[in-house]
Amino acid sequence: MTALNETTAKLLQALRRQGSVLSSTELQNLLGVSQPTVSRALAPLIQSGRVQKVGAARSQRYVLARHVPGVGSQVQVMRVDTKGQPSPFARMVALEGGLFGLMRPMVSVPGTMGYRGF
C-alpha cells in the first residue's frame, strides 16, 4: 500500500470515528500529517463523492457521505412560498452512521452554489 493510499484509509477511519464531520485542521492533527497531504488524500474521495466538502474558508468541513438506496447521498429541500411556488432551500446529506446534515445555501454568487452547514 502506498503512503497516499494509507493516509486515505486513515482519513476515512478518522471521519468514521469522529462522527463523519471534520475540518482539514482536525484531520491534520488526528493523522499527524501536513495540510497538503490531507488535500492529496481527500482529492480522490471528493471526486468519487465518498467525501463531500461543505462550507467555505475557515468553516469548511469534510463529511463522510453514505448512499441511501433509491435516494442517493443527498436530497434537495425545497421551500414553498405563500403562492405555492417552490424554490431551493437547502440540501440534506446522508452521513455514515445513520445521521443527516442539513446544508443551507450561502450568500448567492452568480454561477455558484455554495453551502454552509454542520
Side-chain angles (χ1 to χ4, degrees):
M1 181 180 279
T2 67
L4 182 58
N5 288 343
E6 187 175 320
T7 301
T8 300
K10 288 179 180 179
L11 187 146
L12 287 170
Q13 290 173 348
L15 279 167
R16 284 189 191 100
R17 283 193 310 268
Q18 302 296 320
S20 299
V21 181
L22 290 169
S23 69
S24 178
T25 301
E26 290 167 328
L27 286 166
Q28 291 169 54
N29 292 336
L30 286 168
L31 302 175
V33 297
S34 67
Q35 185 278 323
T37 299
V38 167
S39 293
R40 282 191 300 274
L42 281 168
L45 297 172
I46 292 169
Q47 187 175 11
S48 71
R50 183 82 189 268
V51 170
Q52 292 188 22
K53 184 169 36 173
V54 296
R58 295 184 187 271
S59 67
Q60 192 165 42
R61 299 286 182 269
Y62 298 94
V63 299
L64 189 55
R66 71 180 162 98
H67 182 80
V68 177
V71 176
S73 62
Q74 58 185 314
V75 175
Q76 181 74 47
V77 179
M78 303 295 283
R79 160 188 8 226
V80 179
D81 67 19
T82 57
K83 296 178 183 177
Q85 297 300 309
S87 62
F89 175 70
R91 66 183 169 121
M92 188 169 53
V93 177
L95 304 175
E96 282 206 9
L99 301 173
F100 288 88
L102 185 66
M103 292 176 285
R104 295 188 54 200
M106 298 182 331
V107 175
S108 198
V109 176
T112 67
M113 182 59 114
Y115 287 87
R116 67 174 181 245
F118 304 94

